[in-house]
Amino acid sequence: MSSAADTHEHNPHLAHHFETIEQQEEAQSMGMWLFLAQEFMFFGGLFCAYAVWRFTYHDAWFEGSSHLSTFWGGLNTIVLLLSSYTMAMGVYYCQIGDTKRLTNRLIMTLGLGIVFVAVKLQFEWFPKFHDGVVPGQWWGPAGHYADMAAFPEQGHLQLFYFLYYVMTGMHAFHMLIGFGILIPLIVMSAMGKFGPQRFMAILNFGLYWHFVDIVWVFLFPMFYLVT
Amino acid sequence: MANATTTDHIDIPERDYAAPAVHYLNWQYTASSWLLTLDHKRIAILYLITISIFFMVGGLFATIFRMELLTPEGDLLNADTYNKMFTLHGVVMIFFFLIPSIPAVLGNFLLPLMIGAKDVAFPRLNLFSWYILIIGGTMAVTLTVTGGLDTGWTFYSPLSTHFANTNVFLAALTVFVTGFSSILTGLNFLVTIHKMRAPGLTWFRLPLFIWAIYATSIIQILGTPVVAITILLAGIERVWGVGIFDPYLGGDPVLFQHMFWFYSHPAVYIMILPGMGAISEIIACFSRNRVFGYEFIAFSSVAIAIIGFLVWGHHMYVSGQSMYAGYVFSILTMIVAVPSAIKIFNWTATLYKGNVVWATPMLYAIGFIGLFAIGGATGLFLGILGLDVPLHDTYFVVAHFHYVMVGGMVMAYLAGLHFWWPKMTGKMYPQLPAQVCAVVIFVGFNLTFFPQFLAGWMGMPRRYHSYHPDFQIWNVLSTAGAGVLGVGFTVPVFYFLWSLFYGKTAGSNPWGARGLEWEQCTSPPDPHNFHHTPVVDHIAYPYTGEETLSV
Amino acid sequence: MSGHHIVMPNTYRQVLIVLMVLMAATIIAAKWEPMNIGITGNLLIALAIAGCKMTCIMLIFMHVKYSSKLVQVFAFCGLFWFAIMMVFTFNDYLTRSWNSPFITPAPVAGGHAAPADHAAPASHATPAPADHSAATAEAAQHS
């Protein structure tokens, strides 16, 4: 015990209230996992609501889903899985101390994330807004979505799109938070702040990013592939 | 500094009456040393001040509508104002007092001391949680002055999503934001308990307060996000004019109730579990006995945390929920009463053949046991499917809830505050006024809420500003009791403040209690808690039942 | 270095390939007509594939496979609590339309007493019993 404390006496990354760096790293890792458990329940509420209405209004779900583009949704899935991969590689390069490649991979992760959000807005949300696929008082499918107006259960269709906007929106919001953390991490990485001795921030951000990816892995079949 | 008791030899540590020259309260004085502190003890004091203010605000709302209920006619408040009063009372008391009270005040202060750590695992996150509560509190104040809220604290749809004319969206955001304070506190505590325990402090040597905080933190982390998203959804629905809860487009209000109570039923265990932990400490100390059935109390806390998640539907028997779901929820509700009963029996058995000392914290603790037993047993009445149908939405429910929350939780909070006040401040409050005050609160409480059981049993519905004249006698008694209770809650503020300036120096262990915070810390504790990392080699509560204690 | 496991890039690459294959599989399962095995079947396949992807990401990308038991428990507990929420919510939704064998409704004034089996929501068009005319059952359903 005392020898461990002595060797870490000089470690500048050890906060005063921890005894050893192992204890600190385990605490940080555990804290992140608990945060993800919390995030899981946060999305869990939405998934639960989704499940209830999917079973109740299957026809509306099918109708709504058939107007979502599998191409753009699939492309975004690929983009997000790739960004998860680059993030995982970033963790690897951090652990072996290759700071240059770490910075590189973090920038690639950020770039892919931005592509995801851009595709989502430009090719999915904005055209729908333009064609009146907005639940509530502005509801009035037209243009590309005109044949949706003939569907008898307009209210249920609006529920589908309400959940679509809320759930993908909440997911995109989590990506934006990710960007907000990623940018400082890139700057710090470029300054050489990370390495084999200090990688918890990268590791924990990686966990967050993979979690956001997992959410999308479920959202994709739930919205784009209802059959 | 008391001797480090590291052997199995048991005796009351010597009392030293000297306060340390430097402690966490006086080592820095600037405002920023408080507002930007990372010290868990100072953050606990910040929480203490904050929630005391919220308790007074919530109490003020209650006082106003209790006065309205003095007469059967709605003469003091009109129906709208009355609705706002009880809603704000509920929102403020639940989200800003009950949920943060013991975990954030006593938990923050005691958790690192009890497990022999220098601080919680994430001190910055801890401070951030307090700021989130302050932001949420500011939003609540804004809500109050911009027209209030009249949906009841439960935000039931479609009233909240469609019909209410008050600022529901802001209220939803308030609950959303405040929830994260609770989540992050729970996260911090859970990691701290897992990773920061002193050498030798194994799970079954932990004080029972730590077990209770552990169970509470599980609920905070896994339950709170669900209510956050639910209430946010209700808020978005309201703004957007479409939604999954509002039946207007095919939504289901019962779904809102499911998702709301998934958190909000376990939330009552967030409120009561830490109180039970504090009571375990106090009963052991003042009966000079080891806690009877330590493992049973420890695991009953965890059992409550888990089974508590399986019973939420007992709030929804008359909501249109399937009656089969009702059966299941009713049976599970009977089961969740078992661990609570185990605790009550074990506390009582701890008292048996102990040298009971009637110090102020013990008076509150004994009051807690009685009142919580009544509150818990009436909870079973309400958990029974058939009996809940006539009792639902009557004053019986109100009385039951307040027996658990005020008779249970607030009594436990006051017990804990009186128990650890000498540790927090290094000063002892005068015993006699405090003991009298404990009795006054007990009497005032019963006078306030027992008549509500009777009125509810006779069928008086809750949440109306006027009522049938036959119920007046019960309401007059209740309002009178509320006056007594109000006095009882006010007096401690004065003698606590008085003790800060004129109180006797308490010494490190005025109660002769066992535990790291008493035996190895000064009162008030050092800024870094311990001079040396403590090593633990004995079980919790090594009282023999032989010692006597005079206070 | 605190002995944190280093996963080799090759492992990450293999996982990425598996994820891409599963991605293609889920689209094919949903859109290719011969794979259409009904509403529930399609949903189960989609969820199973998503579950596989989640497992891959969690085990390898998120290092759960190489982490302490404690982390593994925490990674699992979110799932467990979510299951609680789903099971008990659906315990309500899936049993709402069941008829109660225990309750016999009180006779309605006017003689339109519906037997217990027919007090269910109107969406359940149960056939009229022999001793009631169809019109009576219809009236009971709309009452």
Side-chain angles (χ1 to χ4, degrees), chain B residues 494-505:
Chain B
F494 292 104
Y495 65 70
F496 276 144
L497 288 177
W498 180 88
S499 78
L500 285 181
F501 302 101
Y502 310 108
K504 277 193 300 188
T505 308

Side-chain angles (χ1 to χ4, degrees), chain B residues 106-107 110-116 189-190 192-194 197 201 203 205-217 274 277-278 281 294 298 301-302 517 541:
Chain B
L106 296 178
L110 292 168
L111 182 62
L113 295 180
M114 280 183 164
I115 66 172
F189 287 178
L190 215 50
T192 309
I193 296 171
H194 266 287
R197 299 194 308 276
L201 192 54
W203 283 93
R205 289 176 182 169
L206 284 174
L208 288 166
F209 183 73
I210 302 294
W211 278 92
I213 289 283
Y214 187 88
T216 309
S217 303
E281 301 290 316
Y294 172 96
S301 292
V302 179
E517 86 272 28
Y541 316 114

Side-chain angles (χ1 to χ4, degrees), chain A residues 101-112:
Chain A
R101 285 210 172 87
L102 164 65
T103 314
N104 202 327
R105 291 304 183 280
L106 290 180
I107 292 172
M108 283 162 76
T109 307
L110 178 66
L112 288 165

Side-chain angles (χ1 to χ4, degrees), chain B residues 103-183:
Chain B
V105 178
L106 296 178
N108 250 321
F109 190 86
L110 292 168
L111 182 62
L113 295 180
M114 280 183 164
I115 66 172
K118 295 195 194 86
D119 206 326
V120 292
F122 308 114
R124 279 195 192 85
L125 194 66
N126 202 10
L127 180 66
F128 183 55
S129 307
W130 181 70
Y131 274 102
I132 297 178
L133 186 74
I134 293 297
I135 293 169
T138 314
M139 290 165 74
V141 172
T142 316
L143 175 71
T144 310
V145 297
T146 56
L149 177 72
D150 62 355
T151 62
W153 78 276
T154 50
F155 294 92
Y156 272 10
S157 170
L159 173 61
S160 65
T161 54
H162 204 114
F163 296 105
N165 290 321
T166 46
N167 208 343
V168 180
F169 187 68
L170 180 61
L173 276 184
T174 306
V175 173
F176 183 83
V177 168
T178 313
F180 279 91
S181 168
S182 174
I183 292 170

Side-chain angles (χ1 to χ4, degrees), chain B residues 366-403:
Chain B
I366 298 290
F368 170 94
I369 295 182
L371 298 179
F372 178 73
I374 297 176
T378 50
L380 285 179
F381 292 23
L382 294 167
I384 294 168
L385 189 50
L387 193 50
D388 182 66
V389 173
L391 288 180
H392 192 88
D393 267 344
T394 65
Y395 263 84
F396 195 87
V397 178
V398 178
H400 152 70
F401 186 72
H402 284 83
Y403 260 77

Side-chain angles (χ1 to χ4, degrees), chain B residues 11-13 282-291 350-351 353-357 362 419 509-514 541-550:
Chain B
D11 58 349
I12 294 188
I282 292 162
I283 296 273
C285 175
F286 292 103
S287 55
R288 320 308 300 174
N289 246 346
R290 285 200 55 208
V291 169
T350 307
L351 294 172
K353 286 194 175 172
N355 288 323
V356 176
V357 184
M362 189 62 166
F419 187 50
N509 192 357
W511 311 116
R514 312 305 297 256
Y541 316 114
Y543 300 102
T544 58
E546 302 292 319
E547 312 97 323
T548 51
L549 172 74
S550 61

